[in-house]
Amino acid sequence: MTRSRLPGITGILRYALALLPLLAPALGHAQDVPVPDKGDTAWMLTATVLVILMTIPGLALFYGGMARSKNVLSLLMQVFMIFSMVALLWAIYGYSLAFTSGNAFIGGFDRLFMQGLATDSLAATFSKGVYIPEFVYFVFQLTFACITPALIVGAFAERIKFGAVLMFTVLWFTFAYLPIAHMVWFWAGPDAYTDAAAGAAATSGAGFLFQKGALDFAGGTVVHINAGIAGLVGAIMIGKRIGYGTAPMQPHNVAMVMIGASLLWVGWFGFNVGSGLEANGFAGMVFANTILATAAAALAWSFAEWIHRGTPTMLGAASGAVAGLVAITPACGWVGPMGAIAIGLIAGLVCLWAVAGLKHKLGYDDSLDVFGVHCVGGIVGALLTAVFCAPWLGGTGVYDYVANAVGEYSIATQFKAQLWGVVVSLVWSGVVAAVAFKIVDLVIGLRVAEDQEREGLDTVSHGERAYN
């Protein structure tokens, strides 16, 4: 029996060996397909949850605590519903317009209604040959899109119609957030930079501000300057609250402010560290920078307030911490720990000046200091990125993916690139916000009636009270 079967087995082996050369290309191709690391994937899902935490409940409680008791629910509701609405808009068209190929200013429709987005689709990271599932990248960026318009509402809190908030959000998200996100963050990924010619071709297809060399690691321009200037435009166009400057308008619950600020700080690690898209030693540096800059800004604001008015306040410490978080956001992946501390100290002092001095000098009513903290802090962070990114000041420099090494660095050259990011974000978002507010005002009106404002938006807009 054994001898009779041997010729058959030998023939099969010979046939298989003959097929190996034909199978080799296919086997090699299968081996070339990147497989996302489960550690990176798990971290990015965790980071996504952290950004949700910093929005709902973090931002909602931070804003709600600073409002008067008759308006606290209106802030909670605005943040909650903006998050919910923008999440759907992101799935329908937002992700496609922000993160697919189009032109230098806006993406295309390759992912409209999430078409083509499968569980095996991949998104590039910042390391050659390293990818994460595109679905993970989709939900991570969704949380950025949701929190940004929610930041804006603090500037004109306590006097705007709820319907006006929702309508403005749709317009501003579509025509301001998505183009700025595309201009700053869209590129082909590191694997496209195989040589100088390929690198030049890849850069030419990237977003406008990416082409200009503007650095924004986690959203100084895309999130904070973008939202902050829109908030200022809204505060001016809607007008001051009744009694502003004459009636007391103190935060109704400073403990809630502290809880909200703490949740923001915790959630911000997802915001900043997650923007590196990988779980590695670099992520540890970004984590450290986020802690140190925030602590420095909280101390700078508190001690300056202590010297100026005689007492340090919890509201000041919380505001300083948020200012530090904002300022380190664009810089956290480019600077070293000492640079992060310097950025935090400077941001704490500059944002305090913007809130306590600039606002009163110019006379606008930015209810919860969105412009003074987010826009001013974002500008400080974006510009100081150019300084402390320098390798001789402890920064990382800018990586050259063609040479596979850190390239030559010039503070002056990078500062010009950062100015491009700041100015384009200010102008683009400011103009879009002004047009959007005007459209909303013409269609449904921006502001509640005077008697409704005096009564409070909680009962007028939502039929509820936070406290009985």
Side-chain angles (χ1 to χ4, degrees):
M1 292 292 292
T2 304
R3 286 184 179 181
S4 66
R5 294 182 64 182
L6 281 176
I9 294 173
T10 304
I12 291 170
L13 289 173
R14 287 176 179 173
Y15 182 70
L17 290 171
L19 284 176
L20 278 178
L22 300 176
L23 292 172
L27 291 172
H29 177 71
Q31 292 170 352
D32 290 340
V33 175
V35 178
D37 182 83
K38 289 185 178 180
D40 291 339
T41 302
W43 160 239
M44 289 307 301
L45 290 172
T46 303
T48 301
V49 172
L50 286 171
V51 183
I52 296 173
L53 177 74
M54 70 184 287
T55 312
I56 47 173
L59 179 66
L61 291 174
F62 183 66
Y63 277 179
M66 286 194 287
R68 288 172 287 180
S69 59
K70 63 183 180 180
N71 295 312
V72 56
L73 285 182
S74 70
L75 269 299
L76 301 181
M77 185 67 169
Q78 286 169 23
V79 172
F80 201 89
M81 294 307 293
I82 286 172
F83 189 97
S84 302
M85 184 173 66
V86 173
L88 298 185
L89 298 179
W90 186 250
I92 295 167
Y93 64 87
Y95 177 69
S96 188
L97 291 178
F99 289 108
T100 65
S101 297
N103 54 52
F105 300 97
I106 195 68
F109 299 106
D110 292 352
R111 289 288 187 261
L112 193 66
F113 295 104
M114 298 176 66
Q115 63 181 336
L117 185 56
T119 55
D120 59 352
S121 302
L122 300 178
T125 65
F126 297 102
S127 300
K128 288 189 173 182
V130 179
Y131 292 79
I132 60 173
E134 189 179 1
F135 255 117
V136 175
Y137 187 72
F138 166 86
V139 292
F140 180 65
Q141 286 293 345
L142 175 151
T143 60
F144 279 63
C146 290
I147 193 173
T148 306
L151 292 172
I152 300 173
V153 301
F156 39 77
E158 303 191 310
R159 58 203 190 270
I160 191 170
K161 294 179 179 178
F162 181 63
V165 169
L166 300 182
M167 185 175 177
F168 168 79
T169 297
V170 174
L171 294 172
W172 185 86
F173 165 76
T174 304
F175 297 105
Y177 181 82
L178 296 179
I180 295 294
H182 182 83
M183 282 190 265
V184 175
W185 283 337
F186 179 75
W187 68 312
D191 285 348
Y193 291 75
T194 54
D195 54 42
T203 299
S204 67
F208 175 73
L209 292 173
F210 186 95
Q211 294 183 39
K212 291 294 183 182
L215 302 177
D216 184 0
F217 191 78
T221 50
V222 178
V223 176
H224 298 292
I225 297 175
N226 207 8
I229 190 63
L232 177 63
V233 171
I236 294 171
M237 292 184 68
I238 295 170
K240 300 175 184 178
R241 288 168 289 178
I242 296 172
Y244 178 72
T246 57
M249 296 184 176
Q250 300 301 318
H252 90 282
N253 192 327
V254 179
M256 186 184 291
V257 174
M258 187 273 176
I259 294 169
S262 301
L263 289 170
L264 281 167
W265 193 343
V266 172
W268 222 288
F269 291 111
F271 200 75
N272 282 1
V273 187
S275 292
L277 306 180
E278 300 174 49
N280 52 22
F282 177 77
M285 183 195 76
V286 177
F287 202 112
N289 287 342
T290 303
I291 293 176
L292 296 173
T294 309
L299 288 169
W301 186 304
S302 293
F303 276 95
E305 187 179 50
W306 197 351
I307 293 169
H308 179 69
R309 53 178 287 173
T311 55
T313 66
M314 183 67 251
L315 179 63
S319 299
V322 174
L325 289 165
V326 169
I328 198 59
T329 292
C332 56
W334 308 105
V335 306
M338 296 302 106
I341 292 173
I343 288 173
L345 291 172
I346 295 168
L349 296 175
V350 173
C351 290
L352 173 59
W353 165 79
V355 168
L358 180 65
K359 180 170 76 169
H360 295 295
K361 183 176 292 186
L362 298 181
Y364 57 86
D365 179 14
D366 178 356
S367 307
L368 310 182
D369 295 312
V370 175
F371 176 77
V373 173
H374 291 277
C375 191
V376 173
I379 292 171
V380 168
L383 297 181
L384 290 180
T385 298
V387 177
F388 293 105
C389 180
W392 55 91
L393 293 177
T396 64
V398 178
Y399 197 79
D400 183 341
Y401 284 102
V402 174
N404 293 317
V406 176
E408 295 184 4
Y409 189 80
S410 165
I411 291 178
T413 300
Q414 190 59 51
F415 194 84
K416 292 177 183 177
Q418 297 305 100
L419 275 176
W420 269 103
V422 169
V423 172
V424 169
S425 298
L426 288 172
V427 174
W428 191 293
S429 179
V431 170
V432 170
V435 173
F437 278 121
K438 188 63 178 178
I439 291 172
V440 174
D441 195 27
L442 291 172
V443 175
I444 61 175
L446 285 170
R447 189 162 182 160
V448 298
E450 182 175 334
D451 60 328
Q452 294 177 329
E453 184 177 340
R454 294 185 185 279
E455 181 179 343
L457 301 189
D458 288 0
T459 54
V460 167
S461 299
H462 308 293
E464 296 176 301
R465 291 182 182 274
Y467 311 103
N468 294 321

